[in-house]
Amino acid sequence: LWRMAVRQSPGPRRRRAGGRAVLVAALVLVLCCRAASERIRYAIPEELGRGSLVGPLARDLGLSPAELPARKLRLSAEKQYFTVSGENGNLYVSERLDREEMCGESASCSLSFEALVQNPLNVFHVEVAIQDVNDNAPTFSKAALDLEITELTLPGARFPLEMARDADVGSNSLLTYQLTTNPTFTLSLNESPGGKKQPELVLERELDREKQSFFELLLTAMDGGDPVKSGTVQIRVNVTDANDNAPVFSKSVYEARVRENVPSGSLVVRVRATDADAGSNGQVSYSFGNVPDGVRALFSVESDSGEVRTAGPLDFEEKSKYSFGLEARDGGGLVAHCEVQIDIDDENDNAPEITVLSVSSPVPEDAPAGTVVALLNVKDADSGENGQVWCELSGEAPLSLVASSGGSYKVVTASALDREQASEHRVTVLARDRGSPSLWSRASLVLEVSDVNDNAPVFEEAAYSAYVAENNAAGAPVVRVRARDADAGANGRVSYWLAGGSAGAAPYVSVEARSGAVYAQRSFDYEQCREFAVAVRAQDGGAPARSSTATVRVFVLDRNDNAPRVLWPAAGEGAAAAALPAAFEVVPRSAEAGYLVAKVVAVDADAGRNAWLSYELVQASEPALFRVGPHSGEVRTARAVSERDAAKQRVVAVVKDHGQPALSATATLQVVLAESLQEALPELSDSDAVSELTSELNLILVVALALVSLFFVFTAILILFFKCRRSRGPPVFITSDKELYSSLGSKAPYNYCSSTLPLPYSYEVCLASESGQKDFTFLRP
């Protein structure tokens, strides 16, 4: 502005004073612009060269040079006449500015645009006022004005002249006129209602065509600019005879109103002028005065009727008012002038325009409500209600629209975002004006949501159960756990490891970190460990990481890897076992069918069907004499014992489980058919074996004989008493020491007891040395 003031200041002192006044006004305007918070205003003269400074935009926005790289100051994407420097933030001119081309005859001219900054995102409205420069000289539509004045015209007659046209505005378009000195004519200026000065040629003395029939004058039009610009037109006056009445318009100013977009040829207004003369001097024709070419392109005037009609499409948004002059010329060359003012009424012929200024995408899903994600600008070129716009968002998205100043809108988050529910949001911005009928437009926005590690891995099952058969190979798969994380990328990448479990369970299994597969570390043994539990933790790759835990319970399934073990009859051990049978039972020859001989007792370390035992008789001296219970293991007589049966019987039973394949064990039972133990001893005697054991049992036998002698008398009485009850059945005996029985030799004691069955089948055989044919059962509690 200072440079402009200096450039326009080489005139007289009054021009310097005017320049200083302009400079002071510009400085006051700049200070007012800086005081605005939402809108930054600058004022520059037109026709500045490219690269001229407009103003320190960054400083006026409160941005320091150090902040410029991060804030990324830029202008909106609309057509630009300006550019902003990325280094210092100053606003410069980028295109030629011609005020007359941009704003025409409008009194004010300004350009508005948006300045955008980021981090945080914001928009500022900038308005640059374009000040007029006196760069247009006044012009006339014709190079010469031809007037015909009759010689009868009286002094004082006035002849309106064409007004010059200056494209500038304000003081630069205020025109004054000067006429070359001539004693016959002078110049008079008549101010019109619009404030314009109408030049009129005034006749000062009578004309005499015979003396001078032609006058040539020069009219100069000067504007009010500094420096002054001027334009000239030659006035040629032809003195004629007797046309002493000029046409007269019914109005000096004709006003009309027409809607935009009316069809070409529509009637706008009709002007009318009358001429008191007769004949050709009274015939009036109408034409345009000195009007711009743009007016001639939009309007036409009928020379005979004076009807002004449209010649082209009218657009309220380009110009809302037209003012031009018309001439009425009679046949004698006299001319009258009038002014036509046409107002253009707006129609709702422009839909709102939506401009997306900036979009912040993607937005983290943990962004708080109210975060600005996009900036929009909505404009409608219409005016009044036709230009009033309201906007809304359509589509199901957690977004809302917040109106700002200058037709700007902010799209903000209305609630929390969740990428796992929607990774992107598509919304439509709908802008509708208030015209009738209403016009609307739409724009689509796509907002991507970036992931935040807000979800922990979730196992498909809270607890896993695995069933593994024992004797498995080390490294065999046990089960596979799987956890899913709804997050994306590293936040959703899950790894697994053992987090604990039941005591001693950790050495049994391991887990693969990526796949979640659980493998056996060693072979399992059902008999040692039937089940165990471990905890598997799943953790994602976020920062901070999130995790969850699931329990894996492993059940070891039994396999038939243990054969049945016979507890009774027990097999003998050592040298004595080689000489004597492992066990023997005494069965009286009077035993009937079903008599309980013994019970084979066996166990199996396995479980389930693998431990279900069945008993079967596989070998016997007399196969028809004995049978074994398939489930109980009880060995009973299949028939009554006869005298023909051998005294010594050998019975072999097999014990089998129900595994696949089945495992078995055998039990050998020696049975002696005798009425008493003393009778059975000869069958079991082995002189070599007994002689070897005699020395070991001497002490025991001495003690036993002493005890038997004490009870001998008492025993004899009891035998006689219970003899009558012998036929009732086999005696029931109480448990005694079976190992002592296996070590007896030929030198038997007077009283000897041996247990033949474990609980619950227990009995005791007692033999008296004095009577080999008598036996007696003594019941114990």
Side-chain angles (χ1 to χ4, degrees):
L1 294 176
W2 174 260
R3 288 197 299 271
M4 181 185 73
V6 172
R7 193 165 57 245
Q8 295 180 353
S9 62
R13 289 184 178 179
R14 61 184 180 86
R15 295 179 181 174
R16 291 198 189 101
R20 283 193 294 270
V22 171
L23 179 60
V24 170
L27 293 176
V28 171
L29 180 60
V30 170
L31 293 177
C32 292
C33 291
R34 294 186 62 185
S37 60
E38 280 285 331
R39 187 179 294 273
I40 306 299
R41 293 183 173 87
Y42 299 104
I44 61 172
E46 64 174 329
E47 301 295 343
L48 283 181
R50 292 186 178 181
S52 299
L53 175 65
V54 177
L57 180 59
R59 188 187 69 187
D60 293 339
L61 294 178
L63 302 178
S64 64
E67 292 178 301
L68 288 178
R71 300 301 297 275
K72 297 180 181 179
L73 177 62
R74 62 184 178 89
L75 303 183
S76 59
E78 301 173 359
K79 181 180 178 183
Q80 300 292 322
Y81 290 94
F82 307 97
T83 184
V84 63
S85 173
E87 298 178 357
N88 53 26
N90 292 338
L91 188 66
Y92 296 97
V93 176
S94 62
E95 294 183 19
R96 174 178 174 268
L97 301 174
D98 188 349
R99 185 192 181 284
E100 288 75 26
E101 180 181 347
M102 292 186 294
C103 302
E105 298 178 0
S106 177
S108 62
C109 183
S110 62
L111 296 176
S112 298
F113 52 91
E114 286 78 26
L116 306 178
V117 293
Q118 297 183 359
N119 303 320
L121 185 63
N122 206 344
V123 58
F124 299 89
H125 302 279
V126 181
E127 181 178 352
V128 180
I130 310 301
Q131 298 176 340
D132 184 56
V133 175
N134 191 24
D135 57 342
N136 293 281
T139 59
F140 294 88
S141 63
K142 300 176 181 178
L145 300 178
D146 294 324
L147 296 178
E148 291 185 358
I149 303 177
T150 180
E151 61 182 351
L152 299 179
T153 303
L154 298 176
R158 294 174 175 267
F159 303 94
L161 302 177
E162 176 184 339
M163 291 188 296
R165 186 173 63 86
D166 195 328
D168 296 322
V169 296
S171 61
N172 294 330
S173 64
L174 297 178
L175 302 181
T176 59
Y177 299 87
Q178 290 181 352
L179 187 66
T180 54
T181 303
N182 188 288
T184 307
F185 297 95
T186 59
L187 184 66
S188 175
L189 299 178
N190 183 24
E191 188 170 352
S192 65
K196 297 181 180 180
K197 294 180 179 181
Q198 172 72 51
E200 294 180 341
L201 189 64
V202 180
L203 181 63
E204 293 293 335
R205 60 185 183 182
E206 295 181 350
L207 298 176
D208 188 353
R209 185 177 182 278
E210 287 69 29
K211 291 183 178 180
Q212 188 174 357
S213 61
F214 184 79
F215 295 88
E216 191 170 11
L217 306 173
L218 186 65
L219 178 63
T220 302
M222 297 173 292
D223 60 19
D226 185 11
V228 176
K229 292 183 179 291
S230 62
T232 60
V233 64
Q234 191 177 24
I235 301 176
R236 295 179 296 197
V237 180
N238 185 25
V239 180
T240 61
D241 293 332
N243 184 19
D244 53 351
N245 291 288
V248 178
F249 279 99
S250 60
K251 297 179 183 180
S252 60
V253 177
Y254 289 86
E255 296 180 349
R257 184 175 293 275
V258 63
R259 299 186 67 82
E260 65 173 329
N261 300 326
V262 295
S264 297
S266 300
L267 178 63
V268 178
V269 67
R270 176 180 292 174
V271 297
R272 181 174 179 81
T274 58
D275 195 315
D277 295 326
S280 62
N281 292 331
Q283 293 179 356
V284 179
S285 62
Y286 304 92
S287 63
F288 284 110
N290 184 16
V291 297
D293 294 337
V295 174
R296 295 179 183 271
L298 297 177
F299 301 98
S300 65
V301 58
E302 295 289 339
S303 60
D304 296 332
S305 63
E307 293 179 349
V308 178
R309 296 181 177 272
T310 59
L314 302 178
D315 191 352
F316 174 85
E317 288 71 40
E318 289 186 3
K319 194 170 184 179
S320 61
K321 187 173 185 178
Y322 293 91
S323 178
F324 53 87
L326 292 181
E327 293 180 349
R329 185 183 295 271
D330 61 18
L334 296 180
V335 179
H337 295 83
C338 74
E339 185 175 357
V340 177
Q341 295 181 356
I342 302 175
D343 292 321
I344 309 300
D345 290 339
D346 181 49
E347 286 187 354
N348 191 24
D349 58 345
N350 292 280
E353 295 181 0
I354 303 174
T355 303
V356 180
L357 301 179
S358 182
V359 177
S360 295
S361 181
V363 177
E365 60 178 324
D366 61 348
T371 301
V372 180
V373 298
L375 291 177
L376 309 174
N377 185 267
V378 181
K379 293 182 179 179
D380 195 316
D382 296 320
S383 63
E385 288 189 351
N386 296 332
Q388 295 177 5
V389 180
W390 60 270
C391 294
E392 64 178 356
L393 290 179
S394 64
E396 296 181 1
L399 302 174
S400 62
L401 203 61
V402 179
S404 183
S405 60
S408 295
Y409 292 85
K410 297 178 181 180
V411 181
V412 300
T413 56
S415 60
L417 304 177
D418 191 350
R419 190 205 65 84
E420 289 69 42
Q421 292 184 359
S423 59
E424 69 175 21
H425 297 283
R426 295 179 178 270
V427 294
T428 300
V429 182
L430 185 64
R432 189 185 302 273
D433 60 28
R434 301 185 184 276
S436 180
S438 178
L439 300 180
W440 57 273
S441 59
R442 65 176 61 189
S444 297
L445 288 178
V446 178
L447 178 66
E448 295 182 357
V449 182
S450 60
D451 184 55
V452 174
N453 191 25
D454 56 347
N455 290 278
V458 178
F459 282 93
E460 293 179 348
E461 300 178 25
Y464 292 82
S465 296
Y467 298 88
V468 181
E470 65 174 330
N471 303 325
N472 59 290
V478 175
V479 69
R480 182 171 182 173
V481 298
R482 184 182 296 274
R484 301 186 182 274
D485 196 312
D487 296 321
N491 296 333
R493 191 177 301 118
V494 180
S495 58
Y496 307 87
W497 70 83
L498 295 180
S502 58
Y508 283 100
V509 293
S510 63
V511 62
E512 188 175 359
R514 289 300 178 190
S515 65
V518 179
Y519 295 97
Q521 288 287 83
R522 64 182 187 179
S523 180
F524 300 154
D525 189 352
Y526 175 83
E527 288 71 39
Q528 292 183 1
C529 178
R530 299 192 176 187
E531 68 173 276
F532 60 89
V534 293
V536 179
R537 175 172 295 173
Q539 179 173 302
D540 58 28
R546 292 177 176 268
S547 63
S548 60
T549 304
T551 301
V552 177
R553 185 172 296 276
V554 180
F555 297 91
V556 181
L557 301 179
D558 181 54
R559 283 186 175 178
N560 193 25
D561 57 345
N562 290 279
R565 184 165 64 92
V566 178
L567 300 179
W568 179 263
E573 297 182 359
L580 295 176
F584 65 90
E585 298 293 339
V586 178
V587 177
R589 287 188 176 272
S590 59
E592 300 293 334
Y595 178 83
L596 178 62
V597 178
K599 178 177 175 65
V600 179
V601 180
V603 294
D604 196 315
D606 296 321
R609 292 181 59 87
N610 296 330
W612 295 356
L613 301 181
S614 62
Y615 303 85
E616 185 179 334
L617 192 63
V618 295
Q619 185 179 355
S621 302
E622 293 288 341
L625 181 58
F626 301 99
R627 61 180 174 84
V628 63
H631 302 297
S632 63
E634 295 177 348
V635 180
R636 294 179 181 270
T637 57
R639 57 178 175 81
V641 180
S642 67
E643 294 297 334
R644 293 175 297 174
D645 294 327
K648 186 176 181 180
Q649 299 285 334
R650 184 173 180 268
V651 179
V652 179
V654 64
V655 184
K656 294 193 298 185
D657 57 26
H658 286 70
Q660 293 294 332
L663 300 178
S664 63
T666 60
T668 302
L669 186 65
Q670 300 292 341
V671 179
V672 178
L673 300 180
E675 293 298 332
S676 64
L677 181 60
Q678 186 177 5
E679 183 182 347
L681 286 178
E683 299 293 335
L684 299 174
S685 298
D686 189 336
S687 57
D688 295 333
V690 173
S691 61
E692 294 177 1
L693 296 175
T694 301
S695 59
E696 298 177 2
L697 297 177
N698 285 334
L699 179 60
I700 299 175
L701 291 177
V702 171
V703 176
L705 289 174
L707 294 175
V708 171
S709 62
L710 293 178
F711 293 99
F712 176 78
V713 177
F714 181 72
T715 302
I717 296 172
L718 289 178
I719 291 174
L720 294 176
F721 178 78
F722 287 101
K723 180 62 176 180
C724 62
R725 302 182 62 183
R726 177 181 177 186
S727 59
R728 290 191 179 183
V732 179
F733 303 95
I734 305 300
T735 303
S736 182
D737 187 6
K738 65 177 190 293
E739 294 183 358
L740 182 60
Y741 175 78
S742 64
S743 61
L744 290 178
S746 59
K747 298 180 181 178
Y750 295 105
N751 239 348
Y752 178 76
C753 299
S754 176
S755 171
T756 60
L757 291 177
L759 291 174
Y761 303 99
S762 299
Y763 61 88
E764 184 177 90
V765 177
C766 298
L767 179 61
S769 58
E770 296 181 354
S771 177
Q773 304 298 325
K774 309 292 184 177
D775 57 4
F776 170 72
T777 301
F778 178 71
L779 296 177
R780 294 185 182 177

